[in-house]
Amino acid sequence: MTAPTSPTTTTAGSLDVAGVSRSAAPARPTAAEAPLVSYLLGLGDDALVLAQRLGAWVTRAPQIEEDIALGNIALDLLGQARTLLTYAGEVEGTGRDEDALAFLRDERDFRNVWLVEIPNGDFAVTMARQLLFSAYQCELYAGLLASADATLAGLAAKAVKEVRYHRDHATQWVLRLGDGTPEAHVRMQAALERTWPYVDELFDHDDAAAALPGVAVDPASLRPAWSAYVEDVVGRATLAVPQPTWRSRGGRVGLHSEHLGHLLPEMQHLHRAHPGATW
Amino acid sequence: MTAGSTRSTATTARTPHGWPLWEVFVRARRGLSHQHAGSLHAPDAEMALRNARDVYTRRGEGVSIWVVRSSDVVASSPDEKDPFFDPALDKVYRHPTFYAVPEGVEHL
Amino acid sequence: MTHEDAAATLDPALEAELQARFDRMIAAEERIEPRDWMPEGYRRTLVRQIAQHAHSEIIGMQPEGNWITRAPSLRRKAILLAKVQDEAGHGLYLYAAAETLGVDREDLLDLLHTGRQKYSSIFNYPTLTWADMGAIGWLVDGAAIMNQVPLCRCSYGPYGRAMVRICKEESFHQRQGFEILHTLSHGTPEQKAMAQDAVDRFWWPSLMMFGPPDADSPHSAQSMAWGIKRFGNDELRQRFVDMIAPQAQVLGLTLPDPDLRWDEESGHWRFGAIDWSELDRVIRGDGPCNAQRMERRRTAHEEGAWVRESAMAYAAKHAAPSAEAQPAEVAA
């Protein structure tokens, strides 16, 4: 693991998955961004990117009922993203609205964690990703209920009910795939192996959160409750908690997997092709 | 004496290769009874409840849901329909419209 | 016992009596319910029509689903996602209605996947630009609503009830389509051109959604007599044109028909001849997207098989003697 000596070194080259340490992560856009804006963008981008991934499931689900369920989760996340990005724009105060933030920022300006970028894979990967992420969001929003920021607390009050349902939905499926047929068991275990390397990053130190005591939640504080819930589900599903050999990091400061660079152009191209147009 | 014991046609247990069928009942709001909303397929009761929420209450149509396996619904059979229901039809005095109310009388 | 068995064992006198009772109920505009005796032709017609309707909702998710990841604003993305999700719901309501006639959804899907049952040909046209989301909402959903509103009074109870629910939910679909086109036609020149192009491509196919002229529609008369169908294809098509033509003026868009004109005398918009040979081609499978739509649908079903099977295996392992679940209280 090599850390560049200068924190301002940014090259657009490909990133070795395991080779990016936090100290190597040059934040962008740098000092000018208020911690609250960074924090809101992190939460909002998480929700937006996962909504984008889930939206791609519609018409492809294993059962039509599940098309509707995945659509519901995507819609909830999209709603959270819109609230968070709109508020980030207001706090920033330079006139950027939810669409400017969603459609006109580049990869390096997105603050989401890597977990939500993982391609959909099979249904097991999608449910593993959902369980890990929704369990995290449950603890996060429960913590934000007490935020000193009224807008954040208000969002949390609405969102905590939504994400509990998402977590429950993913739980039901992880149980049914893990403890169902042998084929599904193998696929579900593989899906946990695929997604687990992105877990640590959820609880990494975040400068923005640290600068907002009473407003933000310290990510590390969420881990015990998260682990208790998720590991219980994994056990009941007769699956094993993976021991990954590498871990992701850096999403909150704009360092992402290569996948985001494919997700964003698809999402953004139409909006960008017509500068200034209304839709 | 088998009145009321025939399984309904709709729900003949024909689920050879798919998830079983469930009937969904939704309470629209407090103070109302559960009403039949439709049916859906689900592997078990827990998933049936969750699917019912997504399929039948997307617009906040309900505060409570029941699901019942369709094959567990017991229905009166069509052949017996008339003897089963006709006796009730001649008790017109059960209905308020049976009684003549003189003109001008309100709130009765 | 299946309906076929029942029909085979009925004695002719009883069957005549049941037929007479069925006819009286139809004549009195009473609803036929699942457990009533019904003529086999009535049942077959309903199964075919409801299944085709359900398939259309499910396949109809694809042309719009094609734009969920590319919607140009977050608001539009949310609306589109909700709309496509509604279509899945509508498909399910309709499959449920069909299942009351003694068929299994899995069998109906099998008929769709093997091409033995059809879906509306309109969904074999590609969605090439964002404006197509507007044209589909305004024209395709507009035509669908015109067809569906009378079905709310269909003589078969479960179908009518499903349609009531669907029509209620669809009311926002056409409106959001109109709104998309209105925004585009009042936007940049490129946006307006995009809107006009979409209307040009979807206008004639949407007129064909009402089916062939009544004179060439062999099943129409019987369906009308049974109270399944309430109005002829030509009448509904005319109503649709009468509704759309003035709306096009508000949008500032042109309908691609040089013969379209207001006829003072009849109080109707007159329109040009429809090229039915094109519809025939598309129905026969010669549409731009037929194979693509079917492949997507089949792939989703096949790739989901291991998931559905595992859920059944889990249910079998964990089956409790009595249902362990409590009624769900939904957060209001």
Side-chain angles (χ1 to χ4, degrees), chain B residues 6-12 14-21 26-27 30 34 36-47 49 53-59 61-66 69 75-79 81-82, chain C residues 1-3 18 21 25 34-37 82 85-90 92-93 96-97 99-107 165 168-170 172-173 307-309 311-312 314-315 323-332:
Chain B
T6 316
R7 295 279 155 95
S8 86
T9 316
T11 58
T12 317
R14 274 191 75 217
T15 48
H17 42 261
W19 288 348
L21 191 65
V26 175
R27 184 198 295 287
R30 288 174 190 291
H34 285 75
H36 186 236
S39 60
L40 50 72
H41 289 264
D44 53 48
E46 282 180 283
M47 292 304 279
L49 273 177
R53 170 199 183 265
D54 290 333
V55 175
Y56 289 103
T57 66
R58 287 197 304 288
R59 287 170 169 76
E61 294 97 330
V63 295
S64 166
I65 300 171
W66 292 345
R69 223 183 239 269
S76 58
S77 84
D79 292 352
K81 181 181 168 184
D82 287 348
Chain C
M1 184 159 76
T2 66
H3 283 270
L18 290 168
R21 182 156 84 173
M25 284 171 65
R35 299 171 46 67
D36 292 333
W37 181 91
Q85 199 194 23
D86 270 352
E87 281 151 14
H90 297 171
L92 291 184
Y93 304 159
E99 285 184 299
T100 65
L101 290 158
V103 292
D104 191 280
R105 190 213 292 181
E106 202 72 13
D107 294 331
R165 205 180 172 95
K168 232 195 285 180
E169 297 188 353
E170 288 239 337
F172 99 81
H173 292 187
V307 175
R308 296 190 299 274
E309 284 160 15
M312 284 306 287
Y314 178 90
E324 73 284 19
Q326 296 296 307
E329 299 299 324
V330 177

Side-chain angles (χ1 to χ4, degrees), chain A residues 62-80:
Chain A
Q63 183 89 342
I64 299 163
E65 280 85 350
E66 191 61 26
D67 273 311
I68 299 181
L70 292 171
N72 263 355
I73 297 174
L75 274 173
D76 286 344
L77 290 170
L78 189 53
Q80 293 167 17

